[in-house]
Amino acid sequence: MKRLLNNVENYLTVYRCIGELDAAISTASFRKSLPWCCIPEYAKEKRLEMKEVYHPLIKDPVANDFAVEKSCLITGSNASGKSTFIKAVAVNAVLAQAINTCAAKRFVMPTAEVITSMAVRDDLMAGESYFIREIRYLKRILDSITEERVTICAIDEILRGTNTGERIRASRAILEYLRDKNCIALVATHDKELTELLGDDYLNYHFSEEIGKDDIAFSYKILEGPATSQNAVKLLEFAGFPEEIIEAAQE
């Protein structure tokens, strides 16, 4: 103990150097494992710009280019890639500021807080329903926003835990509130009504698919504008639901 106490500064220096070396090796190993990566660039203004960005945990990923200076709505049919894309942006924004590494060819962002509302689950032990948990996540986002620092918030299927009418009204109110704040919101939704109600305030992007006779093919490429296609009934058909259900749904 005397030897330790007499050499505290030296031991802390060695400890810090070993920690930094371990972090550097881990970061280098992570970079080596990626198909491609880049060092992020930081912008003074509120904007996101990325070239060939992808989610680092996906094998053989489909990369996307994306550039926004304000919040946007991302629509598209089931399994088309909405959720994965906003996760990719959020994960890369965290990696950029944590280990100076992005899964992209180019990634430009402001120094920012990153906060999400996705993968929401009910909490039986706490007696909280899916919708209660969801509004807690959203309230956490609202409380985190400040004028001093940009907030990048990723919201997956906003307020899907309640009925359609209230969901659209409440979602519109929340998104109009975020519109005037110091944040960039990436909001994935199935509600096409929101693209019409917020068309002047939010950018619109979508993911699409090609429906064949026996299957659905997804490109996983982000496109400008709101979604125009739907595939829920087709997915029921491909899953082998009874014909009378398919016909009734189509009618």
Side-chain angles (χ1 to χ4, degrees):
M1 287 302 297
K2 286 181 180 179
R3 195 178 300 170
L4 283 171
L5 291 172
N6 290 333
N7 293 277
V8 168
E9 288 304 317
N10 291 331
Y11 279 116
L12 288 177
T13 298
V14 172
Y15 187 73
R16 191 177 300 111
C17 289
I18 291 172
E20 290 176 358
L21 181 61
D22 188 45
I25 291 170
S26 297
T27 301
S29 176
F30 175 65
R31 289 180 179 180
K32 188 72 174 177
S33 72
L34 296 173
W36 61 86
C37 65
C38 70
I39 293 173
E41 303 168 40
Y42 290 96
K44 293 182 179 179
E45 64 274 14
K46 185 177 73 174
R47 70 184 179 98
L48 292 173
E49 181 183 346
M50 51 206 80
K51 298 289 185 182
E52 295 191 42
V53 67
Y54 63 97
H55 197 297
L57 295 182
I58 294 179
K59 186 179 180 181
D60 300 322
V62 175
N64 277 289
D65 295 347
F66 187 63
V68 293
E69 294 182 357
K70 64 178 185 178
S71 298
C72 65
L73 294 171
I74 301 175
T75 49
S77 49
N78 302 285
S80 60
K82 303 185 302 298
S83 300
T84 300
F85 177 75
I86 64 172
K87 288 176 184 177
V89 175
V91 164
N92 277 290
V94 172
L95 290 173
Q97 298 174 103
I99 58 172
N100 206 35
T101 304
C102 292
K105 291 288 179 68
R106 185 172 187 235
F107 198 94
V108 183
M109 63 173 290
T111 301
E113 181 83 12
V114 182
I115 191 164
T116 68
S117 174
M118 56 179 60
V120 179
R121 294 185 176 89
D122 57 9
D123 189 339
L124 297 179
M125 299 302 292
E128 293 182 341
S129 68
Y130 178 94
F131 183 66
I132 294 297
R133 295 286 289 176
E134 189 174 27
I135 61 177
R136 287 188 186 278
Y137 276 50
L138 291 171
K139 181 61 163 55
R140 181 170 55 95
I141 290 175
L142 301 185
D143 290 343
S144 73
I145 295 173
T146 68
E147 287 303 315
E148 290 72 37
R149 191 182 193 190
V150 176
T151 298
I152 297 171
C153 49
I155 304 173
D156 192 20
E157 300 296 350
I158 185 169
L159 294 180
R160 70 176 178 181
T162 190
N163 66 79
T164 304
E166 284 189 308
R167 179 173 66 250
I168 293 170
R169 290 196 299 273
S171 296
R172 179 185 184 181
I174 292 170
L175 296 179
E176 285 180 341
Y177 176 87
L178 290 175
R179 171 194 60 197
D180 302 321
K181 302 301 179 184
N182 190 24
C183 72
I184 298 177
L186 309 177
V187 185
T189 179
H190 281 291
D191 293 320
K192 294 182 180 180
E193 295 87 346
L194 291 175
T195 65
E196 299 170 3
L197 294 168
L198 299 166
D200 295 332
D201 302 319
Y202 277 68
L203 299 173
N204 273 291
Y205 291 88
H206 74 279
F207 287 86
S208 190
E209 74 288 304
E210 292 185 7
I211 300 178
K213 184 178 179 181
D214 300 314
D215 63 359
I216 297 178
F218 298 102
S219 69
Y220 304 117
K221 300 295 287 186
I222 194 165
L223 305 168
E224 292 187 1
T228 57
S229 62
Q230 297 176 324
N231 68 12
V233 177
K234 269 295 181 182
L235 288 174
L236 294 179
E237 184 178 345
F238 294 154
F241 274 61
E243 189 65 30
E244 59 188 290
I245 293 178
I246 305 303
E247 290 177 358
Q250 288 172 340
E251 290 176 7

